[in-house]
Amino acid sequence: MRETAAVVLRLLLAAASLAGVVTQLVIAIRTDFGLVNFFSYFTTLSNMFASVVFIVGAVTILRRSESSARWEAVRGASVVYMAFVGIVFNTLLSGADLGGLLPWTNVVHHMLMPLAVVIDWVLMPPRRRLAMRTAWLWLLVPVVYTVYSVVRGAITGFYCYPFFNPAAVGGYGGVAAYCAGLLVAFIVLALVIRLVGNALSRRTATRVPAAARTTKETSRP
């Protein structure tokens, strides 16, 4: 019953998230916003990634496939990125001009999905322990993304987020300060997600053998 609910919810959430991406993409095309600009938002990329992970995770449950350390690392990355999206938006960008972002898409992408992936991680914890190296590997994507956003913004004048725009935060010193603060916040978040995942994984691992012993004992004549 629990696994069935997980499959249904993962597919529904993935559908809602991808529907939001497609809807905003249509708006972007109609308003000549630019495809590169559209796909330069970390929110968009993270929602697409998390949706794919949810879909693959649902199929994995249906096929009763064995989990792997690599898959759990990928799944953990989607949790960290989406949780980061939720935290940053609701702390730094809640009062920002959302432009053509529809209200329902905003709720799904910045509130519902971040919350959903964290709850999914807690209720369906990883089946394999995550190495400390994994948490540091999660850092590669936001670092590359930050460099890309700042460099591209300096060339084109388009910044996805105000904290990457030197004109909005008092120069490149302000950009550097914001990036440093976000980096620290991301590292802390990644370590917490790994810690929680490993703790719940350990608890689940000890519970399963106990349940198996109980079933075996009760089945004896």
Side-chain angles (χ1 to χ4, degrees):
M1 181 64 181
R2 181 184 179 186
E3 291 186 344
T4 301
V7 169
V8 172
L9 290 175
R10 283 177 176 180
L11 292 178
L12 287 175
L13 287 163
S17 179
L18 291 177
V21 172
V22 172
T23 300
Q24 294 299 145
L25 177 59
V26 171
I27 294 175
I29 293 173
R30 288 178 176 174
T31 58
D32 293 324
F33 185 69
L35 291 180
V36 177
N37 288 346
F38 178 80
F39 287 108
S40 290
Y41 281 90
F42 193 75
T43 294
T44 302
L45 299 175
S46 297
N47 269 273
M48 292 170 62
F49 179 45
S51 296
V52 171
V53 170
F54 264 175
I55 293 171
V56 174
V59 172
T60 299
I61 293 176
L62 290 174
R63 296 179 61 182
R64 299 190 180 279
S65 303
E66 188 67 25
S67 177
S68 67
R70 182 174 297 179
W71 166 247
E72 298 298 359
V74 169
R75 186 175 163 228
S78 73
V79 176
V80 177
Y81 299 156
M82 280 308 310
F84 192 65
V85 165
I87 292 172
V88 171
F89 176 81
N90 289 286
T91 55
L92 298 180
L93 302 172
S94 59
D97 180 11
L98 300 180
L101 185 63
L102 299 178
W104 74 266
T105 307
N106 178 40
V107 171
V108 171
H109 286 178
H110 291 125
M111 301 169 199
L112 181 59
M113 278 296 285
L115 184 61
V117 294
V118 172
I119 293 176
D120 183 81
W121 185 252
V122 172
L123 297 182
M124 303 287 289
R127 297 182 180 180
R128 297 178 183 274
R129 285 182 55 79
L130 299 168
M132 179 63 75
R133 178 172 174 269
T134 300
W136 291 110
L137 287 175
W138 291 339
L139 186 62
L140 291 177
V141 170
V143 167
V144 171
Y145 174 80
T146 298
V147 173
Y148 161 79
S149 297
V150 174
V151 172
R152 181 173 183 269
I155 296 173
T156 65
F158 175 81
Y159 294 92
C160 291
Y161 304 105
F163 42 75
F164 289 148
N165 186 354
V169 293
Y172 281 102
V175 173
Y178 266 103
C179 289
L182 290 170
L183 176 64
V184 172
F186 185 90
I187 292 174
V188 172
L189 178 62
L191 294 177
V192 168
I193 293 297
R194 173 186 173 270
L195 180 65
V196 171
N198 284 347
L200 294 175
S201 174
R202 201 162 43 236
R203 186 181 304 176
T204 301
T206 56
R207 226 180 10 235
V208 171
R213 285 196 303 271
T214 302
T215 303
K216 186 175 181 180
E217 290 173 359
T218 54
S219 64
R220 289 177 181 172

